[in-house]
Amino acid sequence: MLSATELGAPRSGLTPLLYRVVARRSDTADVTTLWLESLDGSRLSFRSGQFNMLSAFGVGEIAVSISASPCDSGPLRHTVRDVGSVSHALCSSDVGDVIGVRGPFGTDWGVTGNATPNDTVIVAGGIGLAPLRGAVEELVAARREGAGQVFVLVGAREPDQLVFLDDLAVWEKAGAVVLSTVDRSAPGWSGHVGLVTTLLSNAGFDAHHCRVLICGPEVMMRFTARALIDLGVDPASIWVSLERNMQCGLGWCGHCQLGPLLLCRDGPVVGYLEASVLMNERER
Ligand SMILES: Cc1cc2nc3c(=O)[nH]c(=O)nc-3n(C[C@H](O)[C@H](O)[C@H](O)COP(=O)(O)OP(=O)(O)OC[C@H]3O[C@@H](n4cnc5c(N)ncnc54)[C@H](O)[C@@H]3O)c2cc1C
Ligand code: FES
């Protein structure tokens, strides 16, 4: 099949490319990872932390972070939580189904080609690890070439809501410090119990010389950032990923406005100093 570009048609940023689901995995009861390949054989170039607009045809289109790593040579990867009509349709996709992909959009975590001798601390709540997964992969790879230590701290409400357990094991084996916790224990769980903030003080990172990347519910990001600042982390070294309803993804429609920012263009990754004064604003 010829793509629109091959046919000579100008491709607008609003036109999705067609991708086929080549693999799927149920991560938890309501979270599914989809591996996608474009029908025209093209490969998407992106940076960790960016997102695509995914369409389930006949249902709608939503913003979903890229959970692949720019280092991956394999298919594109997205991890979706089933919370409503479009995410449900995407999570229900079978291998062989075709979905639409527009992107990539937005800012990134700033780790690509930015190896630092300082520690990098990743703090994720629940599916918040999806937008961070590519960054961790990049940081773990850079660590092999002498970059600073990588700390991955993950929290979930209950043990069966922890995602990417296979990746956590691989990152730990590769030398990262990986700590996980749950808000509520369950039979079979012998790990840490408590909010993700309770992992911070004993994790072992150098609070005075580190950068921190946080993704999760806004309340979790606020409390985590404040706890880090209390430990001595420079607020200018903390980054968060913000979510608001997206429509165009191109800075045209204004749906994703948060204060002076259009989050599809100026986010989702925003420095904590800027984000902290905006995070209390209600979504339009
Ligand atoms: C930049 C960005 C990256 C994102 N990355 C991911 C991702 O990697 N994986 C993923 O599963 N989701 C991600 N989301 C959230 C995803 O876009 C929403 O869950 C989705 O829009 C819900 O649409 P729906 O039609 O399924 O549900 P709807 O019917 O629109 O909503 C169902 C319920 O979900 C709530 N909801 C809607 N939008 C959001 C939102 N943005 N955040 C939290 N709750 C919401 C609604 O208030 C409602 O209660 C991201 C959002 C943004 C802006
Ligand atoms: S989604 Fe349209 S301006 Fe951001």
Side-chain angles (χ1 to χ4, degrees):
M1 179 195 286
L2 289 178
S3 69
T5 319
E6 286 165 327
L7 287 166
R11 199 166 76 77
S12 132
L14 291 172
T15 311
L17 276 183
L18 301 182
Y19 275 66
R20 192 178 306 286
V21 178
V22 293
R24 71 186 302 283
R25 177 182 73 192
S26 296
D27 293 284
T28 71
D30 61 356
V31 174
T32 302
T33 295
L34 301 174
W35 282 265
L36 307 169
E37 280 179 357
S38 71
L39 262 52
D40 69 3
S42 60
R43 292 189 58 79
L44 190 73
S45 175
F46 62 91
R47 296 186 305 280
S48 298
Q50 290 191 294
F51 69 96
N52 281 322
M53 297 298 295
L54 301 189
S55 16
F57 294 114
V59 187
E61 187 184 50
I62 59 171
V64 182
S65 301
I66 301 169
S67 58
S69 159
C71 319
D72 287 348
S73 54
L76 182 61
R77 171 174 168 152
H78 284 279
T79 302
V80 187
R81 188 153 72 97
D82 181 347
V83 296
S85 53
V86 183
S87 52
H88 178 72
L90 291 169
C91 287
S92 308
S93 308
D94 280 326
V95 170
D97 287 352
V98 172
I99 67 172
V101 176
R102 283 197 299 129
F105 298 119
T107 55
D108 62 285
W109 293 112
V111 300
T112 308
N114 184 10
T116 157
N118 294 339
D119 294 340
T120 302
V121 185
I122 308 287
V123 191
I127 195 181
L129 189 54
L132 284 161
R133 182 182 170 276
V136 182
E137 292 270 305
E138 289 192 84
L139 290 162
V140 167
R143 170 98 182 114
R144 284 185 220 115
E145 281 136 41
Q149 180 59 286
V150 185
F151 294 77
V152 184
L153 314 183
V154 297
R157 281 198 302 279
E158 293 179 0
D160 62 5
Q161 286 164 7
L162 285 164
V163 295
F164 305 164
L165 298 180
D166 53 343
D167 288 319
L168 297 178
V170 169
W171 297 334
E172 189 163 34
K173 207 167 163 206
V177 175
V178 176
L179 302 173
S180 46
T181 184
V182 294
D183 300 352
R184 283 187 299 277
S185 191
W189 176 256
S190 56
H192 192 278
V193 179
L195 299 177
V196 75
T197 45
T198 61
L199 297 176
L200 298 174
S201 55
N202 293 323
F205 55 85
D206 178 355
H208 298 281
H209 302 94
C210 69
R211 62 179 167 189
V212 187
L213 318 179
I214 314 174
C215 189
E218 285 196 8
V219 62
M220 166 267 178
M221 294 195 286
R222 269 202 303 276
F223 279 104
T224 302
R226 285 184 201 158
L228 287 160
I229 293 163
D230 287 346
L231 287 173
V233 176
D234 179 356
S237 300
I238 302 175
W239 302 86
V240 298
S241 184
L242 300 178
E243 290 187 4
R244 290 294 182 275
N245 281 332
M246 303 281 177
Q247 297 257 316
C248 69
L250 293 160
W252 294 347
C253 72
H255 271 89
C256 64
Q257 186 181 356
L258 181 64
L261 307 181
L262 290 175
L263 281 182
C264 66
R265 185 191 65 193
D266 309 317
V269 179
V270 179
Y272 176 70
L273 281 175
E274 190 168 18
S276 60
V277 291
L278 299 171
M279 280 203 283
N280 289 326
E281 290 207 10
R282 291 179 66 82
E283 191 159 353
R284 283 150 192 266

